[in-house]
Structures are given as structure tokens and as C-alpha cells.
């Protein structure tokens, strides 16, 4: 394989555009790996760790665009670079057609678009805070898709937004549904009366699709960004979100979702429940029922439970879900060799990863992850798996300088093939996220790696079980049924929710260990 690198001086693209361009570049025939990113120190650090940093790339400035192509031997590098550069100009037509206007600054866009009240910021994290502040100063609500924004800047922006009565969703806010419009990553769900405030992107998506599956719908889904319930930020956006939904006549019940919050911040958020005047369901990963009930809320032990309770409280008191069949785990364990004991989780979604990981923690302390709260069980990105391992490929360690795995799953595909070589693996668990902004066929792009992984295990005389969960609805494109059918045809066991996925992982870990 050979490498070609080009620096385009003073050529800026936002991070969402670069995610899409990188994904398409990696799909070009002859390309082993393509990297299209701005010349930030973070991105150059990623290239250095991959052994791809040349002197020209090292000299690139933050306003310069870096294009790196690693190609098959014999590939025409000049032609490949031409194809990659062509992707830079292949933008979708503006929604306004011939009369569309392109604005160069937030200030000009705000003044030139009367009635606009929301700005989505998707630039490099080094500049995201500056652009978000401009939007807030122009009286706009803000959703910051960008990550790697300093926490001090997040606090200052949220305090400014709060003082102005505006939303500051993010940084690292991947999902919102405002007035029935999905922003960034989101699923097609019916409108309804359940309001959600979530410090988790895929956690928000999961509860929204589960609510949809129960026949109900979403009034508003407000993302806060993953750090909102940290000690430093203090839950500013979640508290403002609760108050907004409490005042919203279209919301009958409020649902809160978060990865494990800081305890002091959790208490501040729970204090808002009694003031809401509406039922409030709380699913905080690793949270305690005692604290929620004492605050007057409804404790949820899982995303499925959270969605079910919200629907029962606000829409349909008779709503129910089908319980998983325990025989499926027994049938799996019967096919394993004695040394196959461990579960490996390869996830695009952080909360989906958390839910399965915490389920396995119920039966074992030999659980490792790049998002483990226990520092003694933290596994850095790129490290080999050990024991039960759960990896969130959407975490910053994996996405620095790369598209999110919901857009470009290449790192996860390579890891799937690698995990299949381990004779101690009993089960590999994966999620497949549909919806706006995600890969157009997340199952289809994974099927070759699934086939290779299963063949690797079979050639070694082992059965390899892969469990897949498709997060999506019948309204998404591609549709849920289509993706499920493709997985089942490939011999994958399909679960119906993130919660059922965690249950399957937990019971496999428990029974395989005893077998």
C-alpha cells in the first residue's frame, strides 16, 4: 500500500460536511483509507498515531484542509486524489433553489433570515464556541453538534443562553426533535405528547423509537449534550429543558435520559420534578430508585421501561411490551465450547453501550470498556479486548479526526473481524442506528464483515453468535423491517430493543460462565 497527502491552503469545510466527504472517499475503489480533515493539532495527532503524518501535513494550519489517501498497490494516486477533490464540490443543492442565499457569517444569516430562531453549529470544536456565542447574541437558540469544546466554554455559553431564555443544546449534542423536525441524528417518529430531555444522543433516539413502537409520539425532544449533568456544567440545560416542557401545553409527561450523572447534579435535577406539575419519568444509567421516588418522580430501570412508563402515564395506561424468550440464550450456550465465556459489545451509541455493559455488570465485575466509570476497568481505544469488553465507537477517542461510526463504521467493522479470532468470545453484540444523518444502509455495509467473522470462527471449529439491535422505526429510510430481515438472513440474532439486547448479553455472560 502507498500513501499520498495534499494540503489545500485556506480551504475550510465544516465537520458535518467533512464526515460525509470522508465516508464517500473511503468507498472509492482502490482506497484503503482516506482522511479528509482540517489541519488542527488534534487531527494531526490522529494522523501521527496512524503513521500518516508527513512534513507537509505537519505544517498545515487550522484553516487548511488535509487530504490523505492510502491506496492499494498499483492504484492511480493522481486519479484517486482527483476523485476525492471532486467530492469537495459535490454539495447538495440549496433548499431555496435558484433564489437561495449563502451567508458567510452567523450575523449576516441572522439579519438576512427574518423569523429564524435556531442555529446548528457543526464546525471544528476549536471554533464552535465562538460561533455559538454569535448565535446566542443574535437571539437564536443553538444546537452545537461539534465536540471537543472546552468545558469552561460550555458553562459560559449555557449561562449566557439561560440569561436570555434560550436553549444551548450541546456541545456534542447529536439529537433533537423540535416541533416535529429531527435535527442532526434523529429518527422518524410520530408526533405526540411525550416530552424528552436527554443528555445522550442515542439514548434519546432509543426512547423515542420505543415510544413510537408503543403507538405514542414525541412532543419535543431536547438534547443537552453529554456533559450537561457533569459536576462542572451542573445540569443547566436539562433543568431549563424540564421547565420548558412543564410549561408546554402539548406535553403531558416528561422523560429524562442520561448516562451516569454526577450525584450532586442529579439531586439538583431531581429537585425540579416536584415543580413540573406533570409526571416525570427518570432513566439515569446507574441511578437509584430511592432518589427518584423521594423526589416525586417515576424511576425507570432501562430505556424500554422508561418509554413504557411514559406512555402509560401520559397516553395509554394499558400499553405493554412482549417479554424476551429466555430459551434463545439457552440454545446459544448449548452451541458454545467450554472456553467461550465472554461477551464483546461493539456499539455506535454510547447509551446503548452503557445499557448492555451495566446489564453484564450485574453478573460479573470482569467488564472492561473505554467508557467504564471504574478506572481500574477502563480500556483505551485501540487496546485488545479482555474479559467482557464493551466499546463505544462514538466516544471522542475514536472520533477525533474521523466521522462518527453511525456515518462511517469502518473502525467497528475491522474490530468485528478481529474479535472473531478470539477463542474465548461467546457473543458479539452490535447496534445498527437508522435515521436522519446516519449511514444509508448500516446493516448492508456490515454484512461482509459479519460473514467474515462467522467464517473465521467456523474454520476454527467454533460457533460465533452475533446479536444485532436495529434502532429505528417503520418510518425511517431504510425501514426497520428491511434492516432486520437482512440481519436475520445473515444468521444474526435480532433483538427488539436496547434493553432486550442488554438482557441477552447479561444472561449469556451468566450462563456461559457456568456451562
Amino acid at each position: 500500500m502507498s500513501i499520498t497527502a495534499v494540503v489545500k491552503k485556506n480551504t475550510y469545510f465544516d465537520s458535518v460536511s467533512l464526515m460525509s466527504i470522508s465516508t464517500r472517499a473511503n468507498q472509492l475503489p482502490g482506497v484503503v483509507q482516506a482522511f479528509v480533515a482540517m489541519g488542527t493539532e488534534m487531527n494531526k495527532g490522529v494522523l501521527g498515531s496512524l503513521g500518516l503524518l508527513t512534513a507537509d501535513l505537519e505544517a498545515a494550519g487550522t484553516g487548511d484542509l488535509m487530504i490523505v489517501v492510502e491506496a492499494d498497490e498499483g492504484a492511480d494516486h493522481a486519479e484517486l486524489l482527483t476523485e476525492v477533490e471532486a467530492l469537495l464540490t459535490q454539495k447538495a443543492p440549496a433548499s431555496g433553489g435558484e433564489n437561495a442565499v449563502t451567508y458567510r457569517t452567523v450575523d449576516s444569516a441572522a439579519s438576512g433570515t427574518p423569523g429564524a430562531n435556531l442555529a446548528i453549529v457543526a464546525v471544528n470544536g476549536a471554533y464552535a464556541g465562538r460561533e455559538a456565542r454569535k448565535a446566542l447574541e443574535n437571539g437564536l437558540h443553538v444546537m452545537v453538534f461539534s465536540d471537543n469544546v472546552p468545558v469552561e466554554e460550555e458553562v459560559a455559553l449555557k449561562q449566557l443562553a439561560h440569561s436570555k431564555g434560550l436553549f444551548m443544546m450541546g456541545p456534542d449534542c447529536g439529537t433533537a426533535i423540535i416541533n416535529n423536525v429531527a435535527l442532526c441524528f434523529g429518527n422518524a417518529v410520530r408526533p405526540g405528547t411525550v416530552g424528552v430531555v436527554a443528555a445522550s444522543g442515542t439514548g434519546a433516539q432509543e426512547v423515542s423509537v420505543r415510544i413510537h413502537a408503543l403507538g405514542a409520539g414525541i412532543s419535543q425532544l431536547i438534547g443537552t449534550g453529554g456533559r450537561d449533568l457533569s459536576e462542572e456544567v451542573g445540569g443547566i440545560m436539562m433543568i431549563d429543558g424540564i421547565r420548558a416542557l412543564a410549561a408546554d401545553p402539548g406535553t403531558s409527561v416528561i422523560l429524562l435520559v442520561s448516562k451516569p450523572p454526577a450525584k450532586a447534579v442529579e439531586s439538583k435535577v431531581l429537585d425540579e420534578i416536584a415543580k413540573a406539575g406533570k409526571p416525570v419519568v427518570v432513566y439515569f444509567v446507574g441511578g437509584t430508585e430511592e432518589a427518584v421516588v423521594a423526589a416525586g418522580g417515576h424511576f425507570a430501570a432501562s430505556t424500554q421501561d422508561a418509554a413504557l412508563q411514559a406512555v402509560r402515564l401520559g397516553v395509554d395506561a394499558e400499553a405493554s411490551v412482549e417479554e424476551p424468550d429466555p430459551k434463545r440464550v439457552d440454545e446459544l450456550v448449548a452451541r458454545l465450547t467450554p472456553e467461550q465465556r465472554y461477551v464483546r459489545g461493539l456499539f455506535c451509541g454510547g447509551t446503548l453501550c452503557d445499557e448492555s455493559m451495566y446489564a453484564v455488570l450485574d453478573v460479573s465485575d470482569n467488564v472492561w470498556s473505554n467508557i467504564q466509570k471504574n478506572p481500574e476497568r477502563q480500556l483505551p481505544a485501540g487496546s485488545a479486548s479482555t474479559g467482557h469488553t464493551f466499546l463505544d465507537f462514538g466516544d471522542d477517542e475514536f472520533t477525533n479526526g474521523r466521522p462518527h461510526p453511525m456515518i462511517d463504521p469502518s473502525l467497528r467493522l475491522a474490530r468485528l473481524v478481529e474479535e472473531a479470532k478470539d477463542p474465548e468470545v461467546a457473543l458479539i453484540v452490535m447496534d445498527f442506528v437508522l435515521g436522519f444523518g446516519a449511514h444509508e444502509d448500516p446493516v448492508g455495509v456490515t454484512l461482509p464483515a459479519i460473514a467474515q467473522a462467522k467464517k473465521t470462527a467456523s474454520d476454527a471449529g467454533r460457533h460465533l453468535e452475533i446479536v444485532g439491535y436495529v434502532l429505528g422505526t417503520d418510518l425511517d429510510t431504510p425501514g426497520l423491517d428491511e434492516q432486520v430481515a437482512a440481519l436475520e438472513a445473515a444468521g444474526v440474532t435480532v433483538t427488539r430493543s436496547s434493553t432486550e439486547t442488554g438482557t441477552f448479553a447479561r444472561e449469556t455472560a451468566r450462563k456461559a460462565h457456568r456451562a
Side-chain angles (χ1 to χ4, degrees):
M1 291 179 286
S2 52
I3 299 168
T4 299
V6 170
V7 175
K8 299 181 77 67
K9 304 293 290 184
N10 300 316
T11 303
Y12 177 79
F13 283 82
D14 65 84
S15 58
V16 173
S17 297
L18 290 178
M19 284 183 181
S20 176
I21 292 166
S22 291
T23 299
R24 286 181 286 161
N26 276 287
Q27 295 169 349
L28 294 173
V31 171
V32 175
Q33 182 176 209
F35 188 97
V36 186
M38 299 305 298
T40 64
E41 291 304 313
M42 178 187 72
N43 288 337
K44 288 189 281 189
V46 173
L47 287 171
S49 66
L50 295 173
L52 301 177
L53 188 63
T54 66
D56 286 345
L57 295 172
E58 178 66 45
T62 56
D64 301 335
L65 182 70
M66 305 184 297
I67 303 174
V68 184
V69 178
E70 185 178 6
D72 292 327
E73 291 293 343
D76 187 329
H77 280 254
E79 182 178 336
L80 285 177
L81 278 173
T82 298
E83 291 184 60
V84 172
E85 290 181 1
L87 296 175
L88 300 173
T89 60
Q90 292 175 9
K91 294 186 175 181
S95 58
E98 294 181 359
N99 298 321
V101 178
T102 299
Y103 297 99
R104 295 293 182 183
T105 67
V106 172
D107 291 334
S108 61
S111 61
T113 317
N117 66 355
L118 171 70
I120 298 176
V121 177
V123 300
N124 183 279
Y127 313 111
R130 179 187 66 193
E131 300 306 316
R133 180 172 292 276
K134 289 180 183 177
L136 292 170
E137 289 171 346
N138 276 282
L140 302 174
H141 300 286
V142 176
M143 180 178 183
V144 180
F145 181 81
S146 314
D147 57 7
N148 293 296
V149 176
V151 68
E152 306 82 25
E153 199 162 22
E154 176 177 350
V155 172
L157 289 168
K158 287 185 172 177
Q159 289 173 340
L160 174 62
H162 176 78
S163 71
K164 290 177 170 289
L166 298 170
F167 285 167
M168 216 318 276
M169 298 182 283
D172 198 18
C173 181
T175 301
I177 301 175
I178 306 297
N179 296 335
N180 303 320
V181 177
L183 305 176
C184 297
F185 295 131
N187 297 90
V189 297
R190 70 175 60 82
T193 61
V194 180
V196 179
V197 189
S200 161
T202 49
Q205 288 184 258
E206 173 65 2
V207 296
S208 72
V209 303
R210 298 274 61 80
I211 289 167
H212 178 91
L214 289 164
I218 301 296
S219 59
Q220 308 287 343
L221 191 162
I222 302 167
T224 70
R227 292 187 306 209
D228 193 71
L229 271 68
S230 67
E231 198 81 50
E232 298 92 334
V233 182
I236 298 172
M237 186 65 232
M238 181 162 281
I239 291 171
D240 282 354
I242 294 170
R243 293 173 179 172
L245 293 179
D248 176 27
T251 297
S252 64
V253 60
I254 300 170
L255 171 55
L256 309 181
V257 183
S258 177
K259 297 175 185 178
K263 287 301 178 183
V265 180
E266 179 182 13
S267 297
K268 282 176 58 179
V269 170
L270 294 181
D271 285 344
E272 291 294 317
I273 290 177
K275 307 172 190 175
K278 297 176 180 179
V280 180
V281 178
V282 181
Y283 174 56
F284 291 165
V285 178
T288 62
E289 182 172 8
E290 182 180 2
V292 174
V293 172
H298 299 265
F299 172 79
S302 66
T303 49
Q304 177 71 84
D305 185 30
L308 182 60
Q309 288 197 58
V311 172
R312 284 177 173 173
L313 287 165
V315 183
D316 178 8
E318 302 301 319
S320 63
V321 296
E322 184 179 349
E323 293 298 320
D325 182 0
K327 292 181 180 178
R328 293 209 294 175
V329 174
D330 293 335
E331 292 169 356
L332 161 63
V333 173
R335 293 193 290 266
L336 301 176
T337 66
E339 62 183 337
Q340 288 181 276
R341 298 176 293 166
Y342 295 123
V343 176
R344 301 285 159 78
L346 310 178
F347 287 87
C348 294
T351 296
L352 307 185
C353 183
D354 259 336
E355 187 157 23
S356 285
M357 178 177 70
Y358 272 82
V360 174
L361 278 166
D362 286 344
V363 298
S364 174
D365 62 358
N366 188 18
V367 179
W368 298 74
S369 174
N370 62 317
I371 57 173
Q372 250 276 30
K373 292 300 180 184
N374 179 357
E376 296 180 358
R377 291 288 188 271
Q378 288 176 356
L379 194 71
S383 299
S385 295
T386 180
H388 303 292
T389 295
F390 292 84
L391 297 177
D392 171 16
F393 283 86
D395 190 58
D396 286 355
E397 274 193 291
F398 283 106
T399 59
N400 278 347
R402 298 186 65 94
H404 193 280
M406 285 163 57
I407 299 172
D408 177 8
S410 54
L411 284 180
R412 187 171 76 147
L413 301 186
R415 187 64 176 242
L416 169 60
V417 173
E418 192 64 28
E419 294 290 351
K421 300 174 184 178
D422 188 341
E424 293 188 316
V425 172
L427 173 68
I428 295 178
V429 187
M430 306 181 73
D431 59 347
F432 300 87
V433 183
L434 309 182
F436 305 109
H439 193 282
E440 64 271 14
D441 185 11
V443 169
V445 76
T446 311
L447 291 179
I450 289 173
Q452 185 178 348
K454 282 184 166 289
K455 184 178 186 302
T456 295
S458 179
D459 289 348
R462 291 180 277 109
H463 170 76
L464 177 63
E465 187 78 13
I466 298 176
V467 165
Y469 167 55
V470 183
L471 190 166
T473 75
D474 55 320
L475 303 178
D476 282 323
T477 303
L480 176 62
D481 291 345
E482 174 188 338
Q483 295 280 288
V484 167
L487 283 174
E488 290 178 337
V492 174
T493 297
V494 179
T495 51
R496 295 162 297 182
S497 69
S498 174
T499 301
E500 183 179 343
T501 307
T503 299
F504 204 108
R506 181 191 67 214
E507 293 307 300
T508 299
R510 182 170 63 85
K511 294 180 178 181
H513 183 72
R514 293 178 179 178

